[in-house]
Amino acid sequence: MHKLNGKTCHIVQQNLEKIKEILPEVFTEDKIDVNKFLLAMGEHVEVDKERYDFTWNGKTGAIQLAQKQSTGTLRPCKEESVNWHDTNNLYLEGDNLEVLRILQHSYRGKIKMVYIDPPYNTGQDFIYHDDFQDNVRNYRERNQETMKSNPETKGRYHTDWLNMIYPRLKLARNLMSEDGVIFISIDDHELANLRKVCDEIFGEENFIGIFSVNSTPNARDYGHIGKMHEYVLFYGKKLAETTTNMLPDTTKQFKYEDEYGGFNIHPLYNSNVLFTKENRPNLYYPFYLNPNEKREDGFYTIYLEMHDGFVEIFPPKSVKDSVQFVWRWGKAKAMQGLNKEIIGYQTSDGDFRIVQKMRHSEKIIRSLLLEKSFTSRRGTAEVENIFEKKIFSFPKPIELIQTFCQVGTDKDSTVLDFFSGSCTTAHAVMKQNAEDGGNRKFIMVQLDESTDEKSLASQAGFKNICEIGKERIRRAGALLLKDMDNNQAVDVGFKVFKLDETNLKVWEEDALHIERNLLDLVDPVKEGRTQEDVVYEVLLKYGIGLTSSIVEDSISGKKVFSVDTGRLLICLDVNLTLEAIEEMAKKRPERVVFYDEGFKNDTVRTNAEQLLKRYGIIDIRVI
């Protein structure tokens, strides 16, 4: 039996394992020999004393914060949730740095799109001051003391902001899928620094672009200039695998028509310089065209075999850097669409090309986002309409985030926002699902930052920002359902979890370094915590999602939690007998979890493992 570790993902250890897989020769007694490592890197090591480097006071600590493990957990809060048993959406309340750490096991590589609207560092907004030593304990009290405004007159003005944003982005990258994208809203104060941080964390080669959003069309007077726009940085995790979508274009008109309707034409080759015949050889092949076989519609018939007098057509090369492009379609797909959806075309200068019929009115997203629906005023009005009063300043407009969802997600994607505020992102995800029948999921993360006692939000009864965000999702969901066809299904629910210390005394961070009280072994669960609290903590430490199905059952008089349609069984009762364990084994789970001290005696504990293995269960954990 293996003991389940109470800590979050060990990022440093995972990095070491990756290096060991690639360069085993640089390890000596499980430690990296720096000289061997540098030798293995050859000429790719910077040795000059003067070199390009972006650093600041505290950067090393910020990197270590991203690597630090946590024994914290997320406790379910059903009374504040909506459609608890049916929803796949999450609202996670607590310090987002800790929450991102806790999500590392269960959601690593599963987030298709991240959108955040972090503090802009205007001098008025709050900056999170993280404490490396202190973990989850008393985080609320600590936040009251350390979440202060960050005025420009302070000596560590940019430093504090960089130390806040760096570890959070580092952890967020781990959660992104290989084809995932991230959008980050920002203004002039930290744009330059944020770009450098993102270049370092995501890689300069994965920078896609910067959007300028016309957020204030009437301009706001900042002295000497009227500012009208903000920015959104756009990165992929791995650009060669990044996938994005076109946007609907309601203004587009079709130039051509066939029996299936209108269409325009677009070259079949992929103009992305990252896709070449070297890394996509299956997309590099010739078409053949008979220049004497012009069709009635003005196009040319094309083939995949050569005949006398035919013209051979390969994808062109990039004019800028001579990169060899490839087709967007593989040969099998091309065979199916030959002379139906892909055809030959002759340009005005006599060149022959292979083109695709584009039947959808679509356009690529533009770097200038000038729509009136993207303004701050629109975002404010949307929240006012939902709450029938003004309670939140400068929320992002729904349509802006919805546009990013259209570009950066497919219909089954998961979207993360760990500065969720009034939850525009959750609203946008639900609205997009309602419009295109999608099944996107959202994960909202927000610190329970108190509202000012004099604010309209406080006067309306909202004690903190989390209460505003959760209520907005409830109201927005109800409005969407009201406007929808009764036959449509959209997930407008969400599960609320709140950040807290571990439920188990044996996983207490302080207890890891001191001798545990023998009484703790009798009941390892802390006072006031439930078995269900522990079950969700096990899921997080095991690497299972928080929205997995959990059914409470009774087997041989023992309470058993069946997770993910029986693939995992968790029994947290004590005095387990071999008879009870065998009845559980007959359910044929893939893995099981027990209390380490839950077996009736040492003989049962010893024989339980062999018994379970006879039923094909080899993943056996204890806590």
Side-chain angles (χ1 to χ4, degrees):
M1 296 183 185
H2 298 285
K3 211 152 192 177
L4 194 61
N5 191 341
K7 288 190 173 184
T8 53
C9 193
H10 197 325
I11 294 172
V12 173
Q13 184 61 38
Q14 289 187 346
N15 291 337
L16 286 172
E17 289 170 2
K18 290 177 184 177
I19 296 173
K20 197 167 191 176
E21 185 177 338
I22 301 170
L23 298 170
E25 69 274 15
V26 307
F27 283 82
T28 302
E29 295 181 342
D30 283 335
K31 301 288 184 181
I32 291 180
D33 185 317
V34 176
N35 292 326
K36 289 182 180 179
F37 182 80
L38 294 176
L39 187 63
M41 293 298 100
E43 299 177 356
H44 298 279
V45 177
E46 180 62 77
V47 296
D48 292 338
K49 291 183 178 179
E50 293 186 8
R51 59 183 181 271
Y52 179 81
D53 189 26
F54 179 52
T55 190
W56 62 89
N57 185 5
K59 183 177 181 180
T60 299
I63 294 172
Q64 291 173 335
L65 277 171
Q67 298 170 341
K68 188 176 185 292
Q69 292 181 276
S70 170
T71 57
T73 190
L74 295 167
R75 296 179 63 194
C77 183
K78 293 184 179 181
E79 62 272 18
E80 296 181 21
S81 305
V82 174
N83 301 337
W84 176 270
H85 295 290
D86 302 317
T87 185
N88 288 306
N89 300 318
L90 294 173
Y91 188 98
L92 310 179
E93 186 171 320
D95 179 352
N96 54 15
L97 180 63
E98 288 298 331
V99 172
L100 289 170
R101 285 192 187 118
I102 292 170
L103 296 180
Q104 293 296 304
H105 270 310
S106 298
Y107 292 91
R108 194 178 186 88
K110 296 180 180 178
I111 306 298
K112 179 61 173 73
M113 174 184 140
V114 178
Y115 170 79
I116 57 171
D117 183 18
Y120 284 4
N121 207 17
T122 61
Q124 304 299 320
D125 45 14
F126 288 114
I127 297 297
Y128 298 55
H129 290 181
D130 303 305
D131 186 334
F132 188 88
Q133 296 300 321
D134 195 7
N135 196 25
V136 184
R137 180 172 298 171
N138 300 322
Y139 87 90
R140 291 183 180 84
E141 290 82 356
R142 190 183 78 229
N143 286 334
Q144 296 302 318
E145 296 175 3
T146 61
M147 276 193 60
K148 308 297 183 182
S149 59
N150 193 37
E152 291 188 55
T153 53
K154 186 177 180 182
R156 293 169 59 91
Y157 174 65
H158 292 294
T159 293
D160 285 346
W161 190 87
L162 288 166
N163 287 331
M164 178 277 296
I165 201 69
Y166 191 98
R168 289 164 172 83
L169 289 177
K170 192 81 171 173
L171 290 168
R173 184 187 181 279
N174 295 339
L175 299 177
M176 291 167 61
S177 59
E178 296 299 286
D179 62 348
V181 294
I182 183 169
F183 299 88
I184 309 173
S185 289
I186 200 69
D187 73 355
D188 303 80
H189 289 81
E190 295 294 351
L191 173 64
N193 286 330
L194 180 60
R195 172 74 190 273
K196 291 174 185 175
V197 166
C198 288
D199 282 348
E200 181 171 319
I201 291 175
F202 298 100
E204 191 173 358
E205 70 278 7
N206 294 312
F207 170 71
I208 299 176
I210 299 179
F211 298 104
S212 294
V213 184
N214 186 19
S215 57
T216 315
N218 295 329
R220 188 173 293 128
D221 186 354
Y222 279 82
H224 309 292
I225 189 171
K227 293 184 182 180
M228 299 175 63
H229 66 281
E230 294 179 350
Y231 307 95
V232 178
L233 288 182
F234 184 21
Y235 281 79
K237 182 177 182 179
K238 189 179 290 185
L239 199 57
E241 299 186 31
T242 297
T243 57
T244 56
N245 307 308
M246 306 283 274
L247 291 171
D249 184 1
T250 56
T251 64
K252 184 177 287 187
Q253 295 181 342
F254 293 118
K255 185 176 180 180
Y256 306 98
E257 189 171 347
D258 62 12
E259 65 271 29
Y260 300 107
F263 66 90
N264 290 323
I265 57 174
H266 187 79
L268 187 64
Y269 70 87
N270 191 333
S271 59
N272 187 336
V273 295
L274 293 175
F275 293 85
T276 68
K277 70 173 185 177
E278 281 72 30
N279 59 32
R280 296 292 190 277
N282 61 312
L283 298 178
Y284 184 76
Y285 56 90
F287 286 94
Y288 302 98
L289 179 148
N290 185 349
N292 299 315
E293 195 175 348
K294 192 171 185 178
R295 306 178 352 167
E296 291 183 4
D297 58 9
F299 296 102
Y300 288 82
T301 303
I302 56 175
Y303 302 84
L304 288 169
E305 319 78 32
M306 183 65 170
H307 296 279
D308 291 341
F310 280 19
V311 176
E312 187 177 59
I313 305 174
F314 279 94
K317 290 186 176 181
S318 167
V319 176
K320 181 180 179 181
D321 46 24
S322 297
V323 171
Q324 176 61 65
F325 292 135
V326 294
W327 304 118
R328 284 184 284 112
W329 288 20
K331 207 166 186 177
K333 186 176 180 181
M335 180 68 77
Q336 294 177 352
L338 207 64
N339 298 310
K340 300 172 185 175
E341 296 304 314
I342 52 173
I343 46 181
Y345 173 74
Q346 188 172 28
T347 66
S348 57
D349 55 11
D351 292 334
F352 290 107
R353 292 183 180 176
I354 306 300
V355 296
Q356 176 188 357
K357 294 181 179 181
M358 305 298 289
R359 301 186 181 279
H360 302 290
S361 298
E362 295 178 327
K363 63 180 179 181
I364 194 168
I365 189 171
R366 306 302 202 255
S367 60
L368 287 177
L369 300 178
L370 307 176
E371 287 84 340
K372 293 180 180 179
S373 56
F374 293 169
T375 64
S376 296
R377 181 176 295 177
R378 174 63 68 89
T380 300
E382 288 167 348
V383 174
E384 282 189 43
N385 289 337
I386 292 172
F387 288 94
E388 300 179 344
K389 61 186 70 177
K390 183 178 180 179
I391 63 168
F392 199 90
S393 299
F394 308 114
K396 289 294 181 285
I398 300 167
E399 196 167 318
L400 175 66
I401 313 305
Q402 195 177 349
T403 297
F404 295 149
C405 284
Q406 290 174 311
V407 170
T409 70
D410 55 44
K411 291 186 177 182
D412 291 310
S413 296
T414 300
V415 178
L416 168 67
D417 183 346
F418 52 93
F419 287 98
S420 62
S422 69
C423 285
T424 298
T425 302
H427 193 163
V429 169
M430 294 189 299
K431 189 169 183 288
Q432 186 60 35
N433 284 339
E435 291 180 5
D436 67 8
N439 188 36
R440 298 170 187 82
K441 283 77 68 178
F442 64 73
I443 301 176
M444 300 293 104
V445 186
Q446 178 60 44
L447 180 71
D448 52 348
E449 176 188 334
S450 298
T451 54
D452 190 296
E453 292 181 359
K454 299 179 181 178
S455 67
L456 293 174
S458 179
Q459 293 171 18
F462 297 101
K463 297 178 182 179
N464 59 57
I465 292 179
C466 291
E467 292 183 2
I468 296 173
K470 287 177 284 191
E471 183 61 19
R472 177 179 184 175
I473 303 174
R474 296 184 192 105
R475 295 189 182 205
L479 289 172
L480 284 172
L481 292 178
K482 184 179 179 181
D483 294 338
M484 288 173 58
D485 187 293
N486 289 333
N487 294 323
Q488 282 183 281
V490 62
D491 186 356
V492 297
F494 58 98
K495 290 186 174 184
V496 176
F497 289 82
K498 297 189 178 184
L499 178 66
D500 212 326
E501 298 172 82
T502 176
N503 299 290
L504 298 171
K505 299 169 188 174
V506 291
W507 285 350
E508 189 73 61
E509 192 144 39
D510 290 345
L512 296 176
H513 308 290
I514 60 175
E515 185 176 352
R516 286 188 285 122
N517 190 316
L518 290 177
L519 293 176
D520 290 350
L521 299 178
V522 177
D523 186 4
V525 181
K526 293 179 181 178
E527 187 177 352
R529 307 296 176 90
T530 66
Q531 284 196 3
E532 191 173 36
D533 288 337
V534 178
V535 167
Y536 278 107
E537 183 165 5
V538 170
L539 298 194
L540 287 166
K541 303 299 165 62
Y542 218 136
I544 299 173
L546 289 169
T547 57
S548 298
S549 63
I550 300 177
V551 177
E552 187 177 320
D553 197 2
S554 178
I555 300 177
S556 296
K558 301 298 182 182
K559 185 187 295 186
V560 176
F561 295 88
S562 175
V563 181
D564 196 16
T565 62
R567 290 186 175 88
L568 167 65
L569 291 184
I570 302 174
C571 180
L572 303 174
D573 279 355
V574 294
N575 293 319
L576 293 178
T577 63
L578 283 175
E579 291 74 19
I581 293 171
E582 184 166 17
E583 289 302 310
M584 296 176 200
K586 289 178 181 178
K587 299 290 184 180
R588 301 288 179 177
E590 296 174 6
R591 41 196 175 175
V592 294
V593 176
F594 302 108
Y595 270 144
D596 196 14
E597 305 296 328
F599 304 98
K600 187 171 183 178
N601 52 50
D602 289 341
T603 302
V604 172
R605 190 185 195 285
T606 302
N607 293 329
E609 186 169 7
Q610 297 306 317
L611 173 63
L612 290 165
K613 285 181 177 179
R614 287 206 302 269
Y615 283 88
I617 306 165
I618 57 175
D619 190 346
I620 308 162
R621 306 289 179 97
V622 293
I623 56 175

